[in-house]
Amino acid sequence: MKKIALFLIFILVLAGCDGNVKVRPIGDLGDEDDPDHEIEDSDNGNTGDTGNTGNTGDTGNTGDTGNTGNTGNTGDTGNTGDTGDTGNTGNTGDTGNTGNTGNTGDTGNTGDTGNTGDTGNTGNTGNTGNTGNTGDTGNTGDTGNTGDPGCVGNGRDEDGDGIDDNCDNCPSQYNPGQKNTSGDKLGDVCEAYWDYGLLKEIKFFDPFYNLQSSWNSTGGTWTYGSGKVSGSSTPYGQNYVYNFDVPNNTPYSVEATFYFSQGTINSSAAYTGVIFAQTGNSFYTCVFERKANRVSIWRTSGSGLSSVGNSNVTAPATDAQWHRLRVFYDGSAVKCTFADEAGGTGEVNISGTNVWSSMGGKTGLRVYNERTDFTSFVLYQ
Ligand SMILES: [Ca+2]
Ligand SMILES: [Ca+2]
Ligand SMILES: [Ca+2]
């Protein structure tokens, strides 16, 4: 009896073990709690997305706003109503978009405003620098369009960017896209680089093809060639003064582009530059000192001459390459920048007692112990 009882207990234990094993059915794998490990690289049909970066091949998006810093997008199509996007770069091949603003380099769009550098569009308004469009109105700086009212060109293109001097929002510097972030009359490359709101327009641009009555030479002869005026001086300084008084203490900027095509110089004190403020016999110049390879600001008061700041130019260009001086006055301080074709740069800043309490007056060109061909002069305000 005892043996039978022990056998029955053994059988019951075996049965209990089998009954307690729980095996998860295969069909339960992948339920709604499991993460989706798919990598999505082609978002379609999104609405109201913000802050997206690095998207590729997006289609059918609507109403996206405020996206910033998107890069490398390609092949976007069918987007509508996007506004306020900033900092996008590297987008190519976008087509069929409508109602977008602030974009660059798009093609095949309709109804866009505020764009630059677009081609092949129709019915757009308020754009600048576009080519190949038809039926657009209210644009500036466009070329090659049909049926557009706008500027009348003079057949010259000083900077070779494809935009006629009369229609170029920065006629002395290459900017085929005519990008103009501030929406005034001045392209970005011609703005004060730290404040696009400082200057508004080009007051005077002279590529020196014709002698204009707006110039007054003092102290010597200035000779016109084709697209240049040559000033030389040994040893006295020569000034070529633009006959327009810049209002005192309002922001303005003066720029000159020049070459050295007339050989070497001997004097260690040989200057080429711009006059950027003048009253009576007193004036300020910012000059490139060719032999010393530096940019300097000089103040002349009657017979007195004093240096008020200078900076060495790194990697200066050869004489046959272009050089450019640009002076900015913001209402209280002066910044003079130098740039050249070889990538040379220099910058001098003056303020406080080094500037007059009332800056303005005449502007112009200057050479001293130097032979220089100036190819353009620009006054910005
Ligand atoms: Ca041009
Ligand atoms: Ca230009
Ligand atoms: Ca501007």
Side-chain angles (χ1 to χ4, degrees), residues 156-176 178:
R156 293 198 199 98
D157 181 12
E158 174 71 14
D159 53 19
D161 61 8
I163 313 294
D164 191 284
D165 283 356
N166 280 6
C167 309
D168 198 329
N169 65 17
C170 184
S172 66
Q173 299 187 45
Y174 185 87
N175 63 330
Q178 298 285 287

Side-chain angles (χ1 to χ4, degrees), residues 206-230:
D206 194 346
F208 301 119
Y209 276 89
N210 302 295
L211 177 61
Q212 300 188 42
S213 60
S214 48
W215 290 102
N216 177 44
S217 61
T218 63
T221 303
W222 292 74
T223 307
Y224 275 77
S226 179
K228 68 181 181 185
V229 63
S230 303

Side-chain angles (χ1 to χ4, degrees), residues 169 178-191 196-197 199-201:
N169 65 17
Q178 298 285 287
K179 189 176 181 185
N180 184 3
T181 302
S182 62
D184 54 13
K185 295 178 179 177
L186 211 52
D188 285 4
V189 293
C190 267
E191 296 277 13
Y196 283 6
L199 305 168
K200 311 294 186 203
E201 63 178 336

Side-chain angles (χ1 to χ4, degrees), residues 220-354:
T221 303
W222 292 74
T223 307
Y224 275 77
S226 179
K228 68 181 181 185
V229 63
S230 303
S232 63
S233 163
T234 54
Y236 303 107
Q238 293 187 21
N239 297 335
Y240 198 48
V241 177
Y242 172 53
N243 291 324
F244 174 82
D245 279 316
V246 175
N248 286 334
N249 295 334
T250 60
Y252 65 92
S253 176
V254 180
E255 176 196 287
T257 303
F258 50 91
Y259 296 73
F260 301 106
S261 60
Q262 301 183 60
T264 58
I265 51 171
N266 295 315
S267 173
S268 59
Y271 309 155
T272 294
V274 293
I275 303 163
F276 62 86
Q278 180 262 355
T279 177
N281 290 327
S282 299
F283 58 91
Y284 277 89
T285 56
C286 181
V287 298
F288 173 60
E289 303 178 7
R290 182 157 47 141
K291 201 142 192 169
N293 283 327
R294 67 178 187 177
V295 55
S296 295
I297 294 178
W298 292 85
R299 180 168 56 189
T300 303
S301 300
S303 58
L305 182 67
S306 57
S307 171
V308 286
N310 59 67
S311 172
N312 290 334
V313 170
T314 57
T318 66
D319 290 351
Q321 293 179 303
W322 63 257
H323 304 63
R324 181 174 295 128
L325 282 168
R326 178 89 185 262
V327 175
F328 303 89
Y329 175 65
D330 68 2
S332 62
V334 169
K335 181 190 297 292
C336 179
T337 63
F338 172 90
D340 66 32
E341 192 172 342
T345 58
E347 181 176 311
V348 180
N349 292 277
I350 59 172
S351 59
T353 57
N354 279 334

